[in-house]
């Protein structure tokens, strides 16, 4: 009696990418640009939730410094994202630069 024949193992599958790497990065950058206003609104609302020890206590000075710093960071982040999106759209072979 002969042992059952073992079927040959198929060669390992090559990993396929569903999206081009550049296209994937562009989509994630666009997602970040869409999420930034929501994140900025949530972060700007944080000073309203800061605890106060007494009713007459005001955190105006630290709140203003926080808001100005956050605003500056959001402006720089928006600038960087816009440059990355513009550069990526210009380099894309599909002619995505019109968006």
């Amino acid at each position: 009696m002969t042992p059952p024949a073992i079927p040959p193992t198929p060669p390992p599958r090559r990993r396929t990418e569903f999206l081009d790497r550049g296209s994937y990065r562009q989509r994630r950058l666009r997602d970040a640009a869409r999420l930034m206003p929501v994140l900025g609104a949530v972060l700007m609302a944080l000073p309203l939730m800061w605890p106060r020890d007494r009713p007459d206590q005001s955190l105006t000075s630290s709140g203003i410094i926080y808001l100005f710093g956050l605003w500056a960071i959001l402006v720089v982040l928006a600038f960087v994202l816009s440059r990355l999106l513009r550069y990526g759209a210009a380099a894309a072979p599909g002619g995505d630069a019109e968006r």
Side-chain angles (χ1 to χ4, degrees), residues 49-69:
M49 295 182 271
W50 285 349
R52 294 185 175 97
D53 295 334
R54 298 181 310 240
D56 62 336
Q57 183 181 8
S58 176
L59 298 174
T60 306
S61 61
S62 58
I64 295 295
I65 292 170
Y66 170 80
L67 288 176
F68 181 73

Side-chain angles (χ1 to χ4, degrees), residues 6 8 16 19 32 41 43 50 55 57 63 67 73-74 87 91-92 96 99:
I6 300 173
T16 59
L19 294 174
L43 290 175
W50 285 349
Q57 183 181 8
L67 288 176
I73 289 170
L74 288 173
Y87 172 73
D96 237 11
R99 289 186 184 188

Side-chain angles (χ1 to χ4, degrees), residues 28-30 32-34 36 76-86:
R28 297 297 77 87
L29 283 173
R30 288 182 190 148
R34 289 181 188 125
M36 198 174 63
V76 170
L77 186 60
F79 177 76
V80 169
L81 277 174
S82 71
R83 292 296 173 185
L84 288 173
L85 284 170
R86 183 177 298 163

